[in-house]
Amino acid sequence: MEDAEYFLSLKWSNHFVVPVISTSGLTKRYGQTDVVSHLDLDVQSGQIYSFIGLNGAGKTTTMRMLLGMIRPTSGYYKIFDGRYKNHEMWRKIGYMIESTYAYPDLTVREYLQVFYHYYQLVDRSMVGQMINRLQLERYANTKTRFLSLGNLQRLGIARALMHQPQLLILDEPVNGLDPAGIVEIRHLFQAMAAEGTTIFISSHLLSEVAKISDRLGIIHQGRLLKELSSEDLSKELKNKLIIDTNDNIGASQLLLLSGNEPQINHDGEIELTVKDSFEISSKIAGLLVQRGFELKKLLPWEEDLETFFLRIINVEK
């Protein structure tokens, strides 16, 4: 299918909503290896889309293709309503790919002033605003060579935000930040998305991106294995009750007769897969106690994103 035909079909299939980022069959091959293989993505306006995967899964390569830094081997991509054909397009996009590289002999303020002039901005307060927004006031006059990894990341994010872009493409944006810094950046991204900025981030900090993402894409060995909304994620996470009694074999038989599907785990305890482990735990406890079983443990367990992620990539390998 031709490029124009593909995106016209996208327009019809999505009720005339054209995504901010669209890819179709996007592939990057080095030698005989597909680093990214037939990737189909749609990122909508105002979304925080998290692209998660192991190191080497293809996250950074995808972002570099989207930014025009490397050419795809095959497939198509589209940002907003076009590709990188003029300077005006770049004014809509802020990005940070891999580590932040800063001129070592420039101070934080001087470094941001370089990009202030590069983007031909007219609000002279913007540099100070970015320094304050990323909490770099203490380091405004510090040469970038002396910054910690976390503060270099803050500086890279400040540079990406300098021209108030409509789209942010950020590769591991919270890498090197301490827990307080991660929370600050999380709140910053949520506020920007609420104002209409589209944010496409890659990360391996799965528990963190789960807190802010509208949509998640799981990439493994270059292939998009699963794409789901935050609502879909909560439905797909497994819930269990872990039960220990004075007679787990007998208790398992009772639970089986009651319409459940218990299993004995490697610790000899009962595992019961349920939809809502917290809601059903009192019913299970009542049933077992009424039938004379001594209840030693009744532990509701909910799968976290890391466990879900590992389950998905193991299934799909």
Side-chain angles (χ1 to χ4, degrees):
M1 181 182 293
E2 293 297 323
D3 195 358
E5 292 177 354
Y6 166 70
F7 288 109
L8 184 59
S9 69
L10 261 183
K11 187 174 181 180
W12 282 101
S13 64
N14 287 288
H15 306 289
F16 296 92
V17 176
V18 179
V20 173
I21 297 175
S22 300
T23 73
S24 174
L26 192 64
T27 299
K28 183 61 180 178
R29 182 176 301 113
Y30 291 106
Q32 300 300 314
T33 303
D34 282 355
V35 180
V36 175
S37 180
H38 300 91
L39 184 68
D40 296 335
L41 282 179
D42 287 336
V43 181
Q44 304 295 332
S45 177
Q47 273 188 344
I48 300 179
Y49 187 110
S50 292
F51 205 37
I52 60 177
L54 302 175
N55 290 336
K59 304 186 301 294
T60 300
T61 300
T62 298
M63 290 182 160
R64 291 171 70 85
M65 285 191 286
L66 293 176
L67 290 166
M69 295 177 176
I70 57 176
R71 291 189 177 190
T73 303
S74 61
Y76 304 110
Y77 69 92
K78 197 170 187 179
I79 308 293
F80 296 112
D81 56 355
R83 302 236 186 139
Y84 299 99
K85 295 180 180 178
N86 55 58
H87 180 72
E88 195 59 34
M89 176 68 77
W90 285 101
R91 294 180 64 86
K92 298 179 181 180
I93 302 168
Y95 67 92
M96 183 175 70
I97 302 298
E98 298 178 309
S99 300
T100 299
Y101 297 100
Y103 302 110
D105 289 322
L106 295 184
T107 66
V108 165
R109 187 181 304 277
E110 290 168 342
Y111 176 77
L112 292 177
Q113 284 172 341
V114 169
F115 288 91
Y116 172 87
H117 291 294
Y118 172 79
Y119 286 112
Q120 301 176 5
L121 304 178
V122 295
D123 183 356
R124 293 185 179 276
S125 69
M126 188 57 69
V127 170
Q129 288 181 35
M130 288 299 105
I131 288 173
N132 294 335
R133 197 169 191 183
L134 275 298
Q135 300 194 11
L136 288 167
E137 300 96 324
R138 286 180 54 193
Y139 308 98
N141 298 312
T142 300
K143 290 185 176 181
T144 63
R145 72 168 81 182
F146 299 119
L147 295 179
S148 66
L149 175 59
N151 283 325
L152 269 176
Q153 288 296 95
R154 290 176 183 269
L155 181 60
I157 295 170
R159 184 206 68 204
L161 300 183
M162 174 71 68
H163 54 300
Q164 299 178 307
Q166 298 174 30
L167 168 64
L168 278 173
I169 298 178
L170 304 173
D171 189 16
E172 300 284 358
V174 296
N175 187 36
L177 294 179
D178 59 26
I182 291 174
V183 172
E184 291 167 16
I185 298 303
R186 181 205 309 162
H187 291 161
L188 173 61
F189 289 167
Q190 289 173 322
M192 293 182 67
E195 295 168 359
T197 304
T198 305
I199 304 175
F200 183 63
I201 60 176
S202 74
S203 183
H204 64 277
L205 298 177
L206 308 183
S207 59
E208 183 57 33
V209 298
K211 297 173 184 174
I212 65 170
S213 301
D214 300 302
R215 197 158 184 81
L216 295 161
I218 298 176
I219 185 172
H220 184 59
Q221 296 179 348
R223 295 189 300 119
L224 187 66
L225 298 187
K226 201 169 190 67
E227 198 176 30
L228 66 170
S229 67
S230 55
E231 293 81 7
D232 293 335
L233 174 63
S234 63
K235 295 175 184 176
E236 294 218 17
L237 295 178
K238 288 186 175 181
N239 287 270
K240 292 182 182 179
L241 281 178
I242 300 175
I243 305 165
D244 191 22
T245 72
N246 60 325
D247 178 9
N248 285 340
I249 300 298
S252 293
Q253 292 174 346
L254 174 62
L255 292 171
L256 184 62
L257 291 172
S258 302
N260 299 287
E261 296 183 4
Q263 292 183 334
I264 303 295
N265 65 21
H266 61 276
D267 294 322
E269 299 170 330
I270 302 169
E271 287 191 3
L272 196 63
T273 300
V274 294
K275 289 185 177 180
D276 190 330
S277 55
F278 290 94
E279 182 178 326
I280 201 172
S281 58
S282 59
K283 296 179 181 178
I284 295 296
L287 174 64
L288 292 172
V289 171
Q290 286 176 7
R291 302 299 285 270
F293 292 96
E294 178 186 343
L295 196 59
K296 298 179 180 180
K297 179 193 288 187
L298 184 62
L299 177 65
W301 177 88
E302 183 178 274
E303 186 176 39
D304 58 23
L305 182 56
E306 284 89 348
T307 308
F308 172 75
F309 170 77
L310 291 174
R311 173 163 63 88
I312 292 300
I313 65 174
N314 284 331
V315 166
E316 299 288 347
K317 276 183 179 178

